[in-house]
């Protein structure tokens, strides 16, 4: 997947400025793609040049004008072509997992602290995703929404984000507890 597809997906729900898009990426898209704000602005310019999004200037009082973007028919076609191609396998590159793998030869204390930090980050993201699910669902329970909701794609991808963050949180807490118990039992803090 290229950043262009993630941007097109984020714009499916409406007309957004680059600034608004960065906020959407912070919450709604962060469960499947990360991009820095400067990357998003550059990608919007490319997408507009390629005719996949349309931009227009919006006058604002007391602030500089802003540019907002929407997906064009060509952009939806690009997403259709993208969806038809088999996905690449998921690749994980995680520095913390490498540290855990080597922890038998390291002082476990910094690794344990990092595991707790990661667990807190995952819990915070999980809370954001759960709020988003509730907002997307509205007054419907999950089963009814999945059966009758207008657009379930964002909901389903957010569900995946929830499950991922919950699993990360649980793995970090379990791993930190295991390492702490082993260090306490052996009295070993350093190799």
């Amino acid at each position: 997947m290229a950043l262009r597809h993630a941007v097109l997906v984020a714009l499916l729900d409406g007309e957004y400025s680059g600034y608004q898009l960065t906020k959407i990426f912070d919450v709604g898209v962060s469960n499947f793609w990360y991009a820095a704000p400067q990357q998003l602005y550059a990608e919007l310019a490319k997408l507009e040049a390629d005719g996949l999004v349309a931009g227009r200037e919006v006058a604002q009082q007391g602030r500089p004008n802003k540019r907002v973007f929407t997906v064009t028919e060509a952009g939806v076609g690009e997403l259709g072509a993208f969806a038809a191609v088999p996905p690449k396998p998921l690749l994980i590159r995680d520095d913390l997992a490498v540290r855990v793998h080597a922890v038998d030869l390291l002082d476990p204390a910094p690794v344990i602290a990092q595991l707790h930090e990661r667990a807190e980050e995952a819990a915070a993201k999980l809370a954001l995703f759960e709020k988003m699910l509730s907002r997307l669902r509205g007054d419907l329970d999950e089963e009814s929404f999945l059966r009758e909701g207008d657009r379930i794609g964002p909901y389903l991808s957010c569900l995946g984000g929830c499950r991922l963050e919950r699993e990360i949180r649980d793995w970090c807490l379990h791993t930190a507890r295991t390492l702490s118990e082993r260090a306490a039992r052996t009295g070993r803090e350093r190799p």
Side-chain angles (χ1 to χ4, degrees):
M1 175 168 76
L3 175 58
R4 70 184 354 210
H5 301 115
V7 171
L8 289 170
V9 164
L11 289 172
L12 287 176
D13 288 321
E15 184 177 60
Y16 298 111
S17 68
Y19 175 77
Q20 291 169 314
L21 194 60
T22 62
K23 297 302 174 198
I24 291 167
F25 263 71
D26 280 348
V27 179
V29 179
S30 65
N31 62 322
F32 58 85
W33 196 272
Y34 170 79
Q38 59 270 28
Q39 291 173 298
L40 292 174
Y41 285 104
E43 194 60 42
L44 281 170
K46 290 177 196 173
L47 289 167
E48 187 172 23
D50 292 344
L52 302 178
V53 300
R56 69 179 182 89
E57 195 82 12
V58 175
Q60 300 187 108
Q61 287 190 350
R63 295 186 298 186
N65 293 344
K66 68 179 179 180
R67 194 152 176 73
V68 293
F69 300 89
T70 55
V71 177
T72 64
E73 282 187 41
V76 173
E78 170 73 16
L79 283 173
F82 166 71
V85 175
K88 295 178 182 176
L90 178 65
L91 300 175
I92 299 173
R93 295 180 183 146
D94 185 9
D95 293 348
L96 184 53
V98 173
R99 291 178 181 116
V100 169
H101 195 86
V103 77
D104 296 318
L105 302 174
L106 308 173
D107 176 0
V111 176
I112 292 167
Q114 293 167 19
L115 285 161
H116 283 290
E117 288 173 22
R118 178 73 61 83
E120 289 174 14
E121 291 167 5
K125 284 179 75 176
L126 177 59
L128 287 173
F129 288 144
E130 287 173 342
K131 283 182 186 176
M132 184 181 299
L133 288 173
S134 179
R135 183 180 54 77
L136 290 169
R137 202 172 45 240
D139 294 334
L140 297 174
D141 62 77
E142 185 168 277
E143 188 177 315
S144 298
F145 180 79
L146 292 174
R147 202 174 42 252
E148 304 163 13
D150 289 332
R151 283 202 59 229
I152 64 166
Y155 193 88
L156 291 170
S157 66
C158 193
L159 268 179
C162 280
R163 290 178 179 163
L164 177 64
E165 295 303 331
R166 189 175 294 112
E167 188 61 34
I168 290 170
R169 178 202 61 198
D170 294 350
W171 175 79
C172 287
L173 293 174
H174 178 266
T175 303
R177 185 172 50 253
T178 300
L179 294 175
S180 295
E181 289 169 358
R182 286 177 60 95
R185 192 172 54 250
T186 62
R188 181 185 148 249
E189 289 189 20
R190 290 190 180 272

